[in-house]
Amino acid sequence: MTLPLRKRRRPPPAVADSSQGAVRFPEVGIFLVEKRMGSSRRAFLSKLARSKGFRVEAVYSDTVTHVVSEQNTRDEVCEWLQAQPGPGRLDTPALLDVSWFTESMASGSPVLIEPRHCLVDALEILAEEAEFGNSEGRSLAFARAASVLRSIPYAVTRFEDLNSLPCFGAHSRKIVQEITEDGSSVEVQRVLHSERYHTLKVFSGIFGVGKKTADRWYQEGLRTLDDLRKKEKKLNRQQEAGLQHYTDLNSPVTRLEADKIQHVVQDAVLRFLPGAIITLTGGFRRGKQSGHDVDFLITHPTEGKEMGLLIKVVSWLSSQGLLLYHHMKQNSYKEPTQMSVQASKDRLDHFESCFSIFKLDTPNEQMESSSTAAENIRNWKALRVDLVVTPFSQYPFALLGWTGSKHFERELRRFAVHERKMILNSHALYDTKQNVMLPAHSEEDIFAHLGLDYILPTERNA
């Protein structure tokens, strides 16, 4: 899975400075990610590389060709790089494990990038492939193991390190053993070279396209986005919008972009309902600096005042030319006298919602387009934005549910059922032993009902 480097600006000439000898490999610009590596080790490795003639950049810039990380996943490195200041890059650096660096130091020159050097989240890939195959149990097992592996504070270098880990089945241990001993996994490499896996990943990346639809298109012989366009497949409005804005919607959303959207949404909501509460949720509430979309919860301390608000807000945003697409869903929640276990497994809630593609101004930003050079430069970007309105009494449950992560919420609901005989979803918490709905004024109240210490949003990224 070598990441090819695109043509780039001419690298700086080989020069010497007080910190290193002559640069022997000016075409290679190394940046060492300090996260989990630590500043002392980073400084030591930088000095070592420079002494051997490598060019090591102190800050991330467009002259970096090789990003080296230790004990981080690919997604974590991508998120970190996305948050770095400076102009946007026009190329893609290789994202590498520290093993490439150490082998290069040992050989005295940059070694060829091999799949085992690349930052690939093996268990997440297998979980996704199992999901594409409708094997929910297998997908969940890999996802849990991946979550556990991410959360441990040390690097797994021996197979024995896995023995004491919870939720780590024999299949996941086998995959990690292969990687630690051989540098790669045959099964993971098979998936990475699978046409079906890559096709379904592309198709399911279209807004409004689920796994079943993506698989049906694959069975019909379609393989690319161009195939969809050429075949003139009959798509619904949501899918047409998703295909039209595919590149933007599959690019990371930065925290700065999310903050800009929040400012616009907040102004629109308060225009019609002063005193309303607008909360940015999802990964951004968990402290992430980039994500796939932007989600907002909207409520008002006086229950009932939120009714009729969303249609006014959406109409106003549309009138300002800010919505490229939107779909409204009415509130369908009916408060039950009791809840079944199935209620905790429902992925969808019943709040009044608007699922939209937002048009965000991005002055002087270079964006991908389809034809002429003039069209390649535009001053806006399409982003996925969800607006969810909740009654104030359900707000704490909605906030917990919409904050995530998906795996954290799944495990919290499982804990509630199996350990506390309670049923939790984004609307309520039900005690099956007392046959009562448990009220909550905050997330802290929900955790207290469950007999748990409060877990900060930033600690829910499992």
Side-chain angles (χ1 to χ4, degrees):
M1 190 176 162
T2 302
L3 299 177
L5 299 178
R6 302 176 190 172
K7 291 184 179 180
R8 58 189 308 108
R9 298 177 185 175
R10 185 184 299 276
V15 296
D17 60 31
S18 59
S19 65
Q20 65 178 47
V23 175
R24 297 172 53 208
F25 314 105
E27 73 282 0
V28 175
I30 298 174
F31 179 81
L32 296 167
V33 177
E34 187 172 314
K35 181 179 180 181
R36 294 202 175 98
M37 181 180 289
S39 58
S40 297
R41 177 164 168 76
R42 181 174 186 255
F44 169 77
L45 294 180
S46 297
K47 184 177 180 180
L48 172 65
R50 287 172 178 147
S51 71
K52 293 180 177 290
F54 287 84
R55 178 167 58 87
V56 181
E57 300 292 348
V59 296
Y60 181 66
S61 68
D62 58 5
T63 63
V64 171
T65 61
H66 294 60
V67 175
V68 175
S69 170
E70 188 169 36
Q71 301 181 36
N72 293 295
T73 67
R74 180 184 177 85
D75 283 349
E76 288 173 327
V77 174
C78 288
E79 178 182 321
W80 186 89
L81 294 178
Q82 186 69 28
Q84 299 311 297
R89 297 179 61 111
L90 301 180
D91 59 354
T92 303
L95 306 184
L96 304 171
D97 178 73
V98 73
S99 59
W100 175 87
F101 180 90
T102 55
E103 290 176 27
S104 295
M105 296 305 106
S107 69
S109 62
V111 299
L112 181 68
I113 297 176
E114 299 180 13
R116 59 193 173 84
H117 296 133
C118 298
L119 293 180
V120 176
D121 298 330
L123 297 178
E124 284 91 340
I125 289 172
L126 294 179
E128 187 174 43
E129 193 242 0
E131 187 177 3
F132 287 151
N134 293 318
S135 180
E136 184 176 354
R138 185 166 173 265
S139 177
L140 182 57
F142 282 130
R144 283 177 177 156
S147 178
V148 169
L149 200 59
R150 280 198 303 268
S151 66
I152 58 178
Y154 54 86
V156 174
T157 58
R158 303 176 306 144
F159 180 62
E160 292 77 12
D161 293 339
L162 305 176
N163 292 339
S164 61
L165 298 182
C167 301
F168 222 93
H171 198 161
S172 295
R173 288 200 300 273
K174 175 178 176 290
I175 298 299
V176 175
Q177 182 179 18
E178 287 181 358
I179 294 173
T180 55
E181 293 180 354
D182 304 328
S184 65
S185 161
V186 173
E187 186 172 356
V188 174
Q189 291 303 312
R190 175 188 61 76
V191 173
L192 290 174
H193 289 87
S194 164
E195 181 184 57
R196 181 177 182 275
Y197 170 78
H198 284 288
T199 301
L200 266 60
K201 192 172 178 65
V202 169
F203 287 166
S204 61
I206 301 173
F207 177 42
V209 175
K211 303 295 187 295
K212 290 184 178 179
T213 299
D215 187 55
R216 187 178 75 249
W217 289 347
Y218 178 81
Q219 298 301 327
E220 293 173 359
L222 304 178
R223 296 293 182 268
T224 67
L225 298 181
D226 282 340
D227 287 345
L228 284 176
R229 298 184 181 105
K230 292 175 183 176
K231 290 283 187 179
E232 296 183 351
K233 286 292 295 182
K234 187 175 181 180
L235 308 179
N236 60 36
R237 284 186 56 248
Q238 189 179 54
Q239 294 166 350
E240 287 178 350
L243 182 59
Q244 180 182 356
H245 302 291
Y246 183 89
T247 299
D248 278 4
L249 300 185
N250 283 274
S251 299
V253 180
T254 67
R255 179 61 194 243
L256 178 61
E257 290 168 340
D259 289 341
K260 288 180 179 178
I261 294 287
Q262 182 169 21
H263 180 74
V264 174
V265 170
Q266 189 160 309
D267 281 354
V269 171
L270 296 180
R271 173 185 297 268
F272 299 102
L273 184 59
I277 299 170
I278 304 96
T279 306
L280 177 63
T281 61
F284 292 112
R285 185 168 185 253
R286 302 197 308 271
K288 289 185 171 291
Q289 294 304 305
S290 68
H292 303 294
D293 56 12
V294 189
D295 303 322
F296 295 101
L297 273 186
I298 304 169
T299 190
H300 192 280
T302 302
E303 186 133 350
K305 277 199 169 185
E306 78 284 350
M307 296 178 65
L309 170 65
L310 191 58
I311 185 63
K312 297 176 183 177
V313 170
V314 171
S315 295
W316 186 83
L317 292 172
S318 295
S319 72
Q320 302 301 304
L322 295 173
L323 297 184
L324 299 168
Y325 165 87
H326 73 273
H327 171 69
M328 301 275 292
K329 186 187 80 170
Q330 298 299 314
N331 187 332
S332 60
Y333 182 69
K334 296 180 180 179
E335 186 169 348
T337 56
Q338 61 182 23
M339 292 167 62
S340 66
V341 173
Q342 181 59 40
S344 69
K345 297 180 180 179
D346 290 341
R347 295 184 178 180
L348 299 178
D349 55 45
H350 302 276
F351 295 115
E352 183 181 16
S353 310
C354 176
F355 308 105
S356 72
I357 299 177
F358 207 96
K359 184 178 181 181
L360 177 67
D361 288 340
T362 54
N364 303 320
E365 185 169 341
Q366 179 110 2
M367 305 299 295
E368 283 194 38
S369 187
S370 56
S371 50
T372 66
E375 290 177 339
N376 284 339
I377 300 178
R378 53 180 169 85
N379 62 350
W380 58 272
K381 177 182 178 181
L383 297 90
R384 279 275 294 108
V385 177
D386 292 342
L387 307 176
V388 180
V389 175
T390 169
F392 195 65
S393 60
Q394 298 175 35
Y395 175 72
F397 305 103
L399 183 60
L400 179 59
W402 277 84
T403 295
S405 66
K406 179 181 177 181
H407 184 69
F408 176 84
E409 290 300 321
R410 182 193 295 119
E411 294 305 307
L412 186 63
R413 294 181 183 191
R414 278 170 48 85
F415 174 84
V417 170
H418 295 290
E419 302 297 329
R420 294 292 183 260
K421 308 302 179 187
M422 297 179 183
I423 299 170
L424 172 68
N425 63 18
S426 292
H427 294 275
L429 177 64
Y430 177 69
D431 188 325
T432 63
K433 292 182 293 185
Q434 301 181 59
N435 292 324
V436 295
M437 296 289 184
L438 300 175
H441 300 290
S442 65
E443 285 185 316
E444 287 86 344
D445 287 347
I446 301 173
F447 281 92
H449 283 314
L450 295 172
L452 297 172
D453 292 334
Y454 179 66
I455 299 175
L456 293 170
T458 53
E459 297 174 357
R460 304 178 199 171
N461 285 308

